[in-house]
């Protein structure tokens, strides 16, 4: 949220906050769809990932899938962060003076 408040114009901050929380809600629905689809694809037989009995299920495979999606998301974040330029980047006109009146830029 702090990123939105620092980088967006003042009149867009409430819209950005609403989009943030809509994104969180969408992520919750996507997680539900992921659980349902994994359960449907792997149910029956010996390979059920999300069995009723945790001792018979292969729950670790589901967590490997979630971890791989998280790793993919992290790589995507790194790509986006590399190309992003913060608002206000450019030449800074800030000058610092010390006790000896030397100017540092």
């Amino acid at each position: 949220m702090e990123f939105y408040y620092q980088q967006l114009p003042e009149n867009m901050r409430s819209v950005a906050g609403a989009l943030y929380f809509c994104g969180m809600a969408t992520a919750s629905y996507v997680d539900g769809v992921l659980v349902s689809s994994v359960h449907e694809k792997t149910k029956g037989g010996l390979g059920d990932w999300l069995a009723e009995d945790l001792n018979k299920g292969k729950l670790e495979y589901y967590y490997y899938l979630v971890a791989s999606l998280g790793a993919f998301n992290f790589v995507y974040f790194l790509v986006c962060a590399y190309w992003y330029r913060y608002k206000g980047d450019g030449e800074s006109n800030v000058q610092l003076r010390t006790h000896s009146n030397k100017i540092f830029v």
Side-chain angles (χ1 to χ4, degrees):
M1 283 302 282
E2 186 176 335
F3 175 77
Y4 287 136
Y5 286 123
Q6 289 178 352
Q7 298 298 311
L8 292 176
E10 192 151 336
N11 57 355
M12 294 271 307
R13 289 182 182 166
S14 61
V15 173
L19 287 175
Y20 173 77
F21 288 114
C22 285
M24 295 293 286
T26 302
S28 178
Y29 282 117
V30 168
D31 184 45
V33 168
L34 180 67
V35 167
S36 296
S37 65
V38 165
H39 188 64
E40 285 297 317
K41 298 282 184 192
T42 63
K43 77 176 178 179
L46 298 174
D48 192 5
W49 289 8
L50 302 171
E52 293 291 327
D53 185 7
L54 292 178
N55 292 328
K56 294 180 182 177
K58 306 251 190 279
L59 192 59
E60 67 272 9
Y61 293 157
Y62 174 74
Y63 284 112
Y64 292 148
L65 175 67
V66 170
S68 63
L69 289 174
F72 175 75
N73 189 24
F74 181 67
V75 170
Y76 178 71
F77 166 76
L78 289 177
V79 169
C80 290
Y82 177 76
W83 291 104
Y84 183 76
R85 298 292 171 242
Y86 283 99
K87 184 173 74 173
D89 274 359
E91 293 188 31
S92 177
N93 292 329
V94 176
Q95 295 180 350
L96 300 175
R97 293 184 183 260
T98 62
H99 293 291
S100 61
N101 286 330
K102 292 181 182 178
I103 298 175
F104 294 98
V105 179

